[in-house]
Amino acid sequence: MARFATAAIYGSAALVLATFAGWSSAAHSQTTLTMSSWVPPSHLLTKDVLSVWAQNVEKATEGRVKFQMLAKHPSAAPGTFDAVRDGLVDVSYVTASYTPARHIFPLLPELPGGGATAEINSVAFSRIHWKYFQPVNEYKGVKLLGVFTHGPGQMFNTKRPITKVEDLAGMKIRSGGGISEQMARALGASAFVKPAPESYELLSSGVADGTFFPLESIISFKLDSVVKYATLFPGGFYGSAFGFFMNEDKWNKLSKADQDAIMSVSGEALARLAGKAWDATDRAALEVMKKANIQIEEASPELIKGVQERSKDIIEKWKKDATAKGVDGAKVFAEFHEELKRVAASN
């Protein structure tokens, strides 16, 4: 009997040790990934998109995947794709406007005449991306988690109201590049490309006469004290699309269960999260603009017609560029605009 009792004790001890080892292994399976943002901590991209998405991932993975926000972004904004690919940071995002030669397809929602809100544009673009663009893999080298857009792009300046295309002639306009820059030039402005966070200094010093931005930027970059005129174009006369991605090696090291959990809060869910956050800040910015006595003009029929006429070549060029990369540009352009209507009707 003693021998059996001893065996039972050893068996129980072995079970305890095995259980402890399992707990230890589970504890060590926790992964902490780095994140960074090239806009300030107060910007909605940092606090309402990245940070909220990170919380959603932590919850979806039951705490197995967590994130540490870096105090400083490890590269200039246009270099973000390479920074994530090369492992300087594990998770971040970049607007396609900063990398137009590398990312042709995301310029689709940047073309004039999109949806009325960031949420509509983001969800419609996300659906088109995963259906048509993802198989071509313009984000090769990183793990793409989602795409989204900012709110409709508008005109802000320090000189005069913009009621017709000719009012932009010779005006020095800061843009983020991509379609924004192309539209500025097509409208007769003297366009140059600078990252968004530099806008206040450019406008306050007179280096720039104006900038093309969504309404949100009035708050994000504290432009209410320097901007004097705003022209609001229905659906935006340009947009900006973002890719949100993770270092591929770090992604591959995650378990299949955690990968699935992350994707459950990414993709269209991320597009909707970002779109709603942007729309909320756009609405708040409009009130700030009114309090700051910024002169706000709705785009006149003459201006709308002029923008439409001068954007035709830019739209046709995107269709041709997309087709050259293996996607029927004309078909996808038309389907995107149908998707915009479907999303708007369902919201």
Side-chain angles (χ1 to χ4, degrees), residues 50-125:
L50 269 73
S51 296
V52 173
W53 175 84
Q55 292 168 15
N56 292 343
V57 168
E58 185 173 340
K59 182 178 179 181
T61 61
E62 298 177 334
R64 293 186 300 275
V65 179
K66 297 187 176 185
F67 297 89
Q68 174 192 354
M69 184 72 75
L70 298 183
K72 184 179 180 182
H73 191 62
S75 72
T80 300
F81 181 95
D82 294 336
V84 173
R85 182 196 61 196
D86 298 341
L88 299 180
V89 62
D90 296 328
V91 179
S92 194
Y93 62 92
V94 74
T95 171
S97 300
Y98 291 173
T99 53
R102 176 179 277 167
H103 300 118
I104 299 298
F105 297 132
L107 299 182
L108 170 62
E110 299 197 1
L111 297 168
T117 68
E119 183 179 2
I120 292 171
N121 288 327
S122 293
V123 172
F125 174 46

Side-chain angles (χ1 to χ4, degrees), residues 176-254:
I179 299 301
S180 172
E181 180 189 10
Q182 291 179 44
M183 284 301 301
R185 296 186 188 284
L187 297 175
S190 177
F192 63 96
V193 178
K194 287 288 184 180
E198 297 181 23
S199 297
Y200 181 90
E201 182 180 351
L202 293 169
L203 290 168
S204 61
S205 66
V207 172
D209 299 321
T211 184
F212 293 167
F213 263 144
L215 296 178
E216 150 275 322
S217 298
I218 293 294
I219 289 177
S220 297
F221 304 113
K222 298 178 173 58
L223 303 183
D224 53 301
S225 63
V226 289
V227 165
K228 296 180 180 178
Y229 305 95
T231 305
L232 308 186
F233 192 90
F237 76 99
Y238 87 98
S240 280
F242 297 80
F244 186 86
F245 36 79
M246 181 185 294
N247 176 271
E248 204 163 46
D249 289 339
K250 293 296 179 66
W251 172 262
N252 290 335
K253 290 177 180 177
L254 295 173

Side-chain angles (χ1 to χ4, degrees), residues 6-20:
T6 302
I9 291 171
Y10 281 131
S12 298
L15 179 61
V16 170
L17 287 171
T19 303
F20 179 78

